[in-house]
Amino acid sequence: IRPAITVAARSVRLSASLRHQLSTLAILEHRDGQLNAGSLSALTAAQKLGGPVHGFVAGGDATTAAQAAAKLEGVEKIISVNNSAYDKGLPENFAPLLVENIKKGGYTHVVSVHSAFGKNLMPRVAALLDLQQISDITAVQNENTFVRPIYAGNAIATVESSDPIKIITVRGSAFPAAVTESGSAAVEEGVDPKAESATEWVSEELTKSDRPDLATANRVVSGGRGLKSKEEFDRLMVPLADSLGAAIGASRAAVDSGFADNSLQVGQTGKVVAPQLYIAVGISGAIQHLAGMKDSKVIASINKDADAPIFQVSDVGLVGDLFEEVPKLTEQLKK
Amino acid sequence: MSALRILVPVKRVIDYAVKPRVNKAGTGIETAGVKHSMNPFDELSVEEAVRIREKKRAPGGVEDITVISAGPAKAQEVLRTAMAMGADRAIHVDVKEGEDLEPLGVAKLLKAATAEHQSNLVILGKQSIDDDANQTGQMLAALLGWGQATQASKVEFGADDSVSVTREVDGGVETLKAKLPMVITTDLRLNEPRYASLPNIMKAKKKPMEKKTLADYSIANDKRLKVLKVEEPAPRQGGGKVEDVGGLVGKLKELGAI
């Protein structure tokens, strides 16, 4: 009994001292000074940890981004590093930048959204600090304990970290975005180690669209292999999306067949979405697709196969030929 | 231009088509008697390494393709598969069932292995489909101080050890230019992995497989994360079917979705 008491006493002392010092740095993504909606979820997750939250922005437009970030609810201070070397988010120089600012600020938690940028960067930061990152969390239980889906969301693990600093990425769809308030947090200049990057950014090709961003949209209409061709995908899905003001998604089968761009893929290996409404058209509902959308509030599906697994998770299903039903649906929604 | 010495880490995971079940104790996933295979992203890594050689894409040629896996004895099966796909040799690092390394531990092991094999390119899957962490490649690049290109959908080699990689990012793709040595992680669009033919499976049985332990690489399996419990996600109840589009719209209105 005695050793158990000692261990318990020590862990209580430890957690009390940690609580005392707990402070979190939330990495805020931005493009040309405009804050990324997904990273506002990281800020909400950071607030759930309980301590003061600082935001971090870097890049040539960091000042603009910092001013916007300073108005966000629940943020005490913004650390800003103005240097265009960080514009492309190259982890080779961004990771050392974060490491220096984490050390300087004495943070116990560092949080980013599990976006392409966060996934690329945060493990590099963790390894430089000899820490084991906790990826894609969906809930914070306490300062050491986090919930995360594994096996494409087929199991939910609760994990406790013993690392002195927790490096965390969060699932954007699991935390509401922090809201903008009129408040104004202090903006402080961060340290800039000016590390060199071994890689050089050459170019990018982004899908231009006026539609809401897939990852954060309230409504998503998603097409699968059943649409048969890119022409049919565009002919049927675009008007349907327009009638709802929805973002367009796609299954891996549709992406692999060239019906839709890769960046529209919903699933374990693509985007994870949790909109108010998800309409699955011609999608069978494979495990890896369900991993990306089964936390949607309402799921509707149209499929000609009455036994398709998608119907098992749909709140409302329509068995029928999508080439007939989708135009009818679009018509009715327009009214 | 240096010849490529490619290291390809592979992981044995529950087959992607199997629906995993949480064990009775709620401590993990039931693995006994469940079909396992090579992590799909790792198949892409092996395929890419082999294609770089076959299509003579690298000006300096490919000198060696070594595959490595840390896991129980059965991990040797996926290493044999990788050799049947075209890898030259394999390293099996024996780690008992249920004592899997965390990504940081794997990255440390791989760092030691790259030194041992004088690798100048490591191609990893972007994530394993069991833990879904998406960390190991980035951590390895950090520990080595090498450049990284994650979620690669296209890899091209140029003069003077330069490598140009197109990566999948939110909203599209971006292209990076790096120099060897470097770490690349694969995205699904990179290639379509081949099936190993029977003659190649037979040949793979004769290819060398080194057996190692963590101690050989001076790696301690110190875990930083403790799994407190594993549960099934809350089940989602299907809401039934409707007859026509009118019924669909009606139900969506009733649910407050439109």
Side-chain angles (χ1 to χ4, degrees):
Chain A
I1 288 168
R2 200 187 219 155
I5 288 172
T6 320
V7 169
R10 193 184 301 144
S11 75
V12 165
R13 226 177 16 247
L14 193 66
S15 73
S17 73
L18 275 181
R19 212 174 0 255
H20 180 63
Q21 299 163 0
L22 190 152
S23 66
T24 301
L25 186 65
I27 315 305
L28 299 172
E29 281 172 57
H30 68 101
R31 181 173 275 269
D32 306 327
Q34 284 279 96
L35 291 173
N36 168 301
S39 65
L40 301 183
S41 299
L43 199 59
T44 305
Q47 286 161 21
K48 297 212 181 287
L49 291 160
V53 176
H54 295 177
F56 184 87
V57 292
D61 287 308
T63 311
T64 318
Q67 280 163 359
K71 297 195 179 88
L72 292 166
E73 187 186 326
V75 66
E76 200 170 88
K77 195 198 281 182
I78 301 297
I79 311 293
S80 164
V81 175
N82 233 316
N83 182 343
S84 57
Y86 303 116
D87 280 350
K88 302 304 178 187
L90 295 170
E92 289 84 352
N93 62 10
F94 213 113
L97 167 72
L98 269 179
V99 166
E100 289 311 310
N101 284 284
I102 293 164
K103 284 182 183 163
K104 186 190 172 204
Y107 299 102
T108 55
H109 295 72
V110 184
V111 180
S112 152
V113 69
H114 194 66
S115 58
F117 169 77
K119 284 186 244 189
N120 196 24
L121 170 70
M122 297 295 268
R124 194 163 177 121
V125 173
L128 290 176
L129 290 165
D130 193 31
L131 302 165
Q132 176 53 56
Q133 178 183 315
I134 310 124
S135 287
D136 203 20
I137 67 162
T138 51
V140 174
Q141 284 205 339
N142 61 45
E143 67 214 43
N144 305 317
T145 313
F146 311 94
V147 178
R148 58 179 302 263
I150 54 175
Y151 289 88
N154 283 294
I156 309 296
T158 305
V159 297
E160 185 184 57
S161 165
S162 57
D163 272 331
I165 304 172
K166 310 329 177 201
I167 305 288
I168 300 164
T169 60
V170 311
R171 178 168 291 199
S173 62
F175 299 90
V179 291
T180 300
E181 278 197 336
S182 52
S184 142
V187 177
E188 191 180 280
E189 212 170 304
V191 281
D192 187 354
K194 296 194 168 71
E196 292 287 320
S197 174
T199 63
E200 180 194 332
W201 184 91
V202 179
S203 63
E204 70 188 355
E205 267 179 70
L206 300 182
T207 316
K208 296 240 171 4
S209 153
D210 299 328
R211 283 178 205 297
D213 172 51
L214 177 59
T216 52
N218 256 323
R219 291 166 175 177
V220 173
V221 298
S222 210
R225 200 199 302 270
L227 282 146
K228 294 208 165 70
S229 70
K230 177 166 173 41
E231 290 67 37
E232 294 295 330
F233 190 100
D234 291 344
R235 186 176 71 84
L236 295 175
M237 298 307 287
V238 171
L240 178 61
D242 287 344
S243 72
L244 286 161
I248 295 180
S251 71
R252 187 182 161 198
V255 169
D256 281 350
S257 309
F259 304 175
D261 191 77
N262 294 343
S263 59
L264 302 186
Q265 188 190 318
V266 173
Q268 182 187 20
T269 56
K271 295 242 165 42
V272 177
V273 301
Q276 293 293 314
L277 173 62
Y278 188 90
I279 304 185
V281 176
I283 292 177
S284 65
I287 292 180
Q288 94 82 29
H289 185 75
L290 299 183
M293 47 65 81
K294 69 184 160 105
D295 293 324
S296 304
K297 192 107 196 269
V298 173
I299 299 174
S301 52
I302 302 177
N303 203 298
K304 67 175 182 212
D305 175 8
D307 298 322
I310 191 78
F311 288 124
Q312 290 163 25
V313 300
S314 299
D315 298 289
V316 49
L318 175 60
V319 181
D321 181 354
L322 65 90
F323 294 101
E324 287 172 23
E325 307 297 348
V326 171
K328 280 193 224 160
L329 177 61
T330 305
E331 253 340 281
Q332 288 218 16
L333 289 170
K334 271 193 202 152
K335 280 180 199 162
Chain B
M1 177 84 193
S2 344
L4 287 176
R5 294 188 56 85
I6 311 176
L7 185 71
V8 184
V10 296
K11 185 177 184 183
R12 177 179 175 265
V13 298
I14 291 183
D15 190 85
Y16 75 95
V18 173
K19 186 170 163 58
R21 305 264 171 220
V22 173
N23 65 19
K24 284 202 184 74
T27 53
I29 296 294
E30 199 60 71
T31 54
V34 175
K35 185 186 178 197
H36 283 67
S37 39
M38 193 190 304
N39 179 42
F41 291 100
D42 303 344
E43 288 185 333
L44 295 153
S45 315
V46 176
E47 178 68 32
E48 191 66 11
V50 174
R51 282 190 194 190
I52 293 168
R53 170 154 60 199
E54 286 176 351
K55 311 241 183 221
K56 300 187 171 32
R57 279 161 46 192
V62 176
E63 194 175 283
D64 179 73
I65 301 171
T66 297
V67 287
I68 181 169
S69 190
K74 283 181 175 162
Q76 291 178 12
E77 291 165 16
V78 299
L79 289 168
R80 288 284 172 211
T81 305
M83 288 193 288
M85 289 172 74
D88 300 316
R89 66 196 73 251
I91 307 167
H92 171 230
V93 184
D94 191 44
V95 177
K96 281 198 194 74
E97 186 96 49
E99 290 181 16
D100 321 7
L101 293 163
E102 291 171 351
L104 184 63
V106 177
K108 288 176 180 177
L109 169 67
L110 294 176
K111 183 189 175 190
T114 54
E116 185 189 39
H117 282 262
Q118 290 155 26
S119 317
N120 52 9
L121 177 63
V122 185
I123 310 179
L124 308 88
K126 75 166 177 181
Q127 74 189 66
S128 66
I129 60 164
D130 50 2
D131 188 43
D132 284 335
N134 195 329
Q135 297 176 6
T136 307
Q138 298 88 310
M139 288 181 155
L140 174 63
L143 297 179
L144 289 165
W146 292 4
Q148 71 185 53
T150 57
Q151 310 194 177
S153 57
K154 194 172 172 193
V155 179
E156 289 174 307
F157 296 84
D160 301 326
D161 287 351
S162 78
V163 187
S164 146
V165 180
T166 302
R167 41 187 312 267
E168 309 245 331
V169 295
D170 298 336
V173 293
E174 71 175 14
T175 302
L176 302 176
K177 204 168 163 186
K179 283 212 166 205
L180 295 174
M182 72 175 301
V183 172
I184 294 174
T185 75
T186 61
D187 212 323
L188 285 168
R189 247 64 59 179
L190 185 59
N191 59 49
E192 256 183 68
R194 70 195 62 194
Y195 291 101
S197 66
L198 189 60
N200 285 339
I201 292 171
M202 300 311 286
K203 271 186 222 158
K205 292 190 179 179
K206 297 199 179 99
K207 290 185 180 178
M209 169 120 54
E210 265 184 276
K211 286 172 193 162
K212 298 268 198 177
T213 63
L214 291 177
D216 292 333
Y217 292 103
S218 310
I219 302 292
N221 189 1
D222 64 326
K223 289 197 199 281
R224 315 293 184 81
L225 298 181
K226 187 170 151 194
V227 178
L228 301 182
K229 65 176 172 187
V230 175
E231 309 161 276
E232 300 271 352
R236 196 175 173 115
Q237 289 297 326
K241 294 182 179 121
V242 290
E243 285 301 311
D244 52 21
V245 163
L248 184 69
V249 172
K251 189 74 193 283
L252 290 180
K253 280 190 178 145
E254 188 188 311
L255 293 166
I258 53 173

